[in-house]
Amino acid sequence: MGRILAIDYGTKRTGIAVTDELQLIASGLTTVETKDLIRFLQDYAKAENVELFVVGLPKQMDNTASESEVHILKFLKSLNKILPEIPVERVDERFTSKMAFQTMIDSGLKKKQRRNKALVDEISATLILQSYLASKS
C-alpha cells in the first residue's frame, strides 16, 4: 500500500499530513508556502509511494462552497496535470481550524506557540486525514 497525503490548502500556506504505509495512522508532515506546493508534492511523490491525495473541501454552514474553493479548484487542475496518476478525494474541512486550535490548547501549548499558523495548518491537514481514514474504516 502507498501513503495517503492530506492537503489543507491555503492561499499563503498549506498544511500537509500523511499516513504510514499501512494507512493506519495520520501524522502531520509539514507546512509549505503555497507557491512551492506543486514542487513539494512532486518531490515527495518521487521519494515516497503516494496512493492518494485527500484535499479539504471548505464549505459554509449552509453547505455552499467557501470562497477559497476557487483557489483550490485551480490548484487541483495544476496538480492533475503534474501528477495525473495519483487520484484526489475531497473531504469536508469545516471546523478543522477550530479543532486544530483546540488540540493545541489541549496539548498544553503556550499562547505564543498557538499563534504559529503553520502549526495550525499542519494539524488541520492531520484532522482532514483522520476524518478520511475514519470514513473508510
Side-chain angles (χ1 to χ4, degrees), residues 3-56:
R3 297 178 188 275
I4 300 172
L5 197 132
I7 299 168
D8 180 35
Y9 187 89
T11 54
K12 294 180 184 175
R13 287 174 318 279
T14 297
I16 300 174
V18 68
T19 64
D20 59 305
E21 290 178 346
L22 296 176
Q23 300 179 1
L24 299 173
I25 300 168
S27 303
L29 180 62
T30 191
T31 302
V32 298
E33 289 188 39
T34 300
K35 65 180 178 61
D36 301 325
L37 180 58
I38 293 289
R39 186 170 1 124
F40 174 87
L41 295 174
Q42 278 182 296
D43 292 345
Y44 191 84
K46 281 181 190 169
E48 297 287 341
N49 178 18
V50 178
E51 184 175 302
L52 175 70
F53 291 121
V54 174
V55 179

Side-chain angles (χ1 to χ4, degrees), residues 26-130:
S27 303
L29 180 62
T30 191
T31 302
V32 298
E33 289 188 39
T34 300
K35 65 180 178 61
D36 301 325
L37 180 58
I38 293 289
R39 186 170 1 124
F40 174 87
L41 295 174
Q42 278 182 296
D43 292 345
Y44 191 84
K46 281 181 190 169
E48 297 287 341
N49 178 18
V50 178
E51 184 175 302
L52 175 70
F53 291 121
V54 174
V55 179
L57 177 61
K59 290 185 177 184
Q60 304 287 353
M61 291 305 296
D62 64 1
N63 224 25
T64 59
S66 168
E67 60 215 32
S68 60
E69 181 66 4
V70 173
H71 303 288
I72 296 170
L73 291 174
K74 205 183 301 182
F75 157 71
L76 289 174
K77 198 172 185 180
S78 297
L79 181 62
N80 188 49
K81 282 182 184 171
I82 303 297
L83 296 165
E85 68 281 3
I86 302 175
V88 174
E89 289 200 33
R90 304 292 303 276
V91 172
D92 188 342
E93 68 171 46
R94 278 180 283 195
F95 308 116
T96 54
S97 292
K98 287 180 183 172
M99 290 168 56
F101 191 73
Q102 188 60 49
T103 299
M104 293 169 79
I105 291 170
D106 295 345
S107 298
L109 290 180
K110 304 218 180 310
K111 203 173 205 174
K112 187 176 181 182
Q113 294 169 306
R114 293 193 308 254
R115 288 191 194 119
N116 180 350
K117 293 186 191 271
L119 183 57
V120 173
D121 294 336
E122 185 177 324
I123 294 171
S124 294
T126 307
L127 293 169
I128 290 167
L129 188 50
Q130 286 174 331

